[in-house]
Amino acid sequence: AQTVTQSQPEMSVQEAETVTLSCTYDTSESDYYLFWYKQPPSRQMILVIRQEAYKQQNATENRFSVNFQKAAKSFSLKISDSQLGDAAMYFCAYRSANTGNQFYFGTGTSLTVIP
Amino acid sequence: DGGITQSPKYLFRKEGQNVTLSCEQNLNHDAMYWYRQDPGQGLRLIYYSQIVNDFQKGDIAEGYSVSREKKESFPLTVTSAQKNPTAFYLCASRFSGPRQPQHFGDGTRLSIL
């Protein structure tokens, strides 16, 4: 099984500031997909952003962007201009492009946004 | 509106009782998944199904069973063999295709009476 590690159980950021959440993964494969999901207090998981491993360009979605370092097996999420609504658990997930349909999730980072 | 519906939102189980969690989707998704979420442990895969009448065990399938008789439905039964069933259960679905993400329901919280 693949391993996805989120080493920051909790993070906090001042409103309007920028925060970066870390994620590393362990794989021997070269083709895969990476995802960040957000789980607000309502508990519904929402897709934030995804990255294809074959793409060198980092994915961006409005205020959310990633720093994908394939050689280092690192996939961090940057949230710019943080808003109160960004407060949530954030999960990093990995999926192989070739073997099976399983997604592997990290243990999550709880983000607090300070007004 | 298209989406994934999990019911009930809260469920209580007595000792020795089997309970079934419902998951229905009207997104025409091919694959469906069940996850268990415990504090500090992220999401762990229980079962998944890529097509009707076929499903595979995930990492923690013991004490659980599923069926996939219709494309839209993927119910999860928590059997009495599952000794620690108290958790938050999430159902997800997705289209086939490697880059397709999972979409999630709102979850069911199961507790022991």
Side-chain angles (χ1 to χ4, degrees):
Chain A
Q2 313 299 339
T3 302
V4 178
T5 302
Q6 293 180 250
S7 58
Q8 306 154 316
E10 297 178 348
M11 292 281 286
S12 62
V13 62
Q14 292 279 353
E15 195 175 2
E17 297 295 310
T18 296
V19 64
T20 298
L21 309 183
S22 300
C23 173
T24 59
Y25 54 95
D26 182 24
T27 185
S28 59
E29 298 179 324
S30 60
D31 197 10
Y32 48 86
Y33 297 85
L34 297 164
F35 305 84
W36 277 100
Y37 281 90
K38 169 185 177 181
Q39 188 179 41
S42 65
R43 304 300 296 270
Q44 185 176 30
M45 297 279 282
I46 302 164
L47 176 68
V48 175
I49 199 165
R50 66 181 144 186
Q51 174 79 43
E52 292 89 343
Y54 62 83
K55 287 187 178 179
Q56 292 189 332
Q57 187 174 9
N58 289 324
T60 62
E61 287 287 344
N62 301 315
R63 296 183 296 108
F64 298 88
S65 61
V66 300
N67 183 6
F68 173 49
Q69 301 289 329
K70 191 171 183 179
K73 297 179 185 176
S74 171
F75 182 59
S76 60
L77 175 69
K78 186 171 82 170
I79 306 174
S80 304
D81 186 24
S82 297
Q83 300 175 0
L84 296 177
D86 295 333
M89 283 289 289
Y90 287 82
F91 292 94
C92 177
Y94 168 101
R95 182 185 177 275
S96 167
N98 301 310
T99 56
N101 277 283
Q102 285 192 249
F103 286 65
Y104 297 91
F105 287 83
T107 52
T109 296
S110 177
L111 178 66
T112 299
V113 180
I114 302 167
Chain B
D1 285 341
I4 302 167
T5 302
Q6 288 188 242
S7 61
K9 195 177 178 85
Y10 300 96
L11 187 58
F12 298 91
R13 194 191 89 169
K14 296 179 181 178
E15 293 287 341
Q17 185 181 42
N18 292 352
V19 292
T20 297
L21 284 60
S22 171
C23 179
E24 304 275 335
Q25 55 96 3
N26 60 4
L27 300 168
N28 200 31
H29 284 171
D30 307 293
M32 298 186 74
Y33 303 74
W34 273 107
Y35 291 94
R36 171 177 170 143
Q37 187 176 21
D38 295 280
Q41 295 197 45
L43 276 68
R44 292 185 291 168
L45 182 65
I46 305 172
Y47 270 97
Y48 68 101
S49 168
Q50 299 183 57
I51 57 173
V52 174
N53 292 323
D54 185 50
F55 46 82
Q56 288 77 41
K57 292 182 179 180
D59 300 320
I60 55 165
E62 186 175 351
Y64 299 96
S65 66
V66 294
S67 63
R68 186 92 186 272
E69 297 177 0
K70 299 186 300 182
K71 187 176 184 179
E72 304 79 22
S73 178
F74 192 42
L76 173 74
T77 296
V78 184
T79 74
S80 57
Q82 172 52 245
K83 297 306 180 187
N84 183 24
T86 297
F88 188 67
Y89 291 85
L90 281 163
C91 177
S93 66
R94 62 189 284 270
F95 287 115
S96 295
R99 73 183 305 270
Q100 295 299 322
Q102 292 181 326
H103 300 267
F104 288 84
D106 290 342
T108 293
R109 175 159 296 282
L110 175 62
S111 303
I112 292 292
L113 282 177

